[in-house]
Amino acid sequence: MTKNIRLPGVDTAIKYLRPNAKWDLYNRTFTRWECPDGTEPPEWSEIENQVQKDVETYNYYLYARNREADYGDWKDQLNLLYDDIKSGNLENGKWVQMVEAVKAKHPKPEGQPPQ
């Protein structure tokens, strides 16, 4: 999930807005613009709006990045799950307790994610 989240910034906003373009930027001026479909560079307000959307999305998914870090290695998770299966404790085993603790520590924000 978190691998699809763009780091917010001017460069990623421009790449999102004009995916096929090649460009160089100095301050707020495009010093080179090449786009195979002839699309013009985005206006600065369009770039700023996209950066703001990317920041909102990035911040919304902070919980997921934190969970991913706290879940640890998937091999360790499989080992916990294996132990729970062998002991017949799938309802409240070590793996379930670990996942629930991580989710409680990093709750998902309420509401819909930013578009």
Side-chain angles (χ1 to χ4, degrees):
M1 176 196 314
T2 59
K3 292 175 179 44
N4 296 328
I5 304 300
R6 295 184 302 275
L7 286 174
V10 170
D11 58 336
T12 54
I14 296 169
K15 288 176 188 175
Y16 177 77
L17 294 167
R18 306 291 192 273
N20 298 320
K22 295 179 182 177
W23 45 271
D24 293 319
L25 188 67
Y26 179 74
N27 289 332
R28 293 181 171 209
T29 304
F30 288 98
T31 57
R32 176 176 67 101
W33 183 263
E34 300 170 12
C35 195
D37 61 7
T39 305
E40 295 294 319
E43 297 292 325
W44 196 255
S45 61
E46 188 180 2
I47 295 168
E48 288 175 328
N49 287 339
Q50 187 60 51
V51 168
Q52 182 59 38
K53 289 177 185 177
D54 289 349
V55 166
E56 290 169 7
T57 300
Y58 188 81
N59 289 343
Y60 179 89
Y61 286 104
L62 174 62
Y63 82 95
R65 293 190 303 278
N66 287 336
R67 283 181 181 183
E68 190 174 314
D70 282 0
Y71 284 143
D73 185 71
W74 63 270
K75 293 174 188 172
D76 294 336
Q77 289 189 51
L78 284 175
N79 192 46
L80 286 174
L81 191 55
Y82 173 82
D83 291 345
D84 291 344
I85 291 169
K86 291 302 276 185
S87 69
N89 191 7
L90 294 177
E91 291 290 320
N92 195 29
K94 292 178 185 178
W95 182 79
V96 169
Q97 290 176 22
M98 181 275 300
V99 169
E100 287 178 349
V102 169
K103 286 185 176 210
K105 183 178 176 183
H106 306 291
K108 183 176 181 178
E110 293 189 22
Q112 295 296 316
Q115 298 295 321

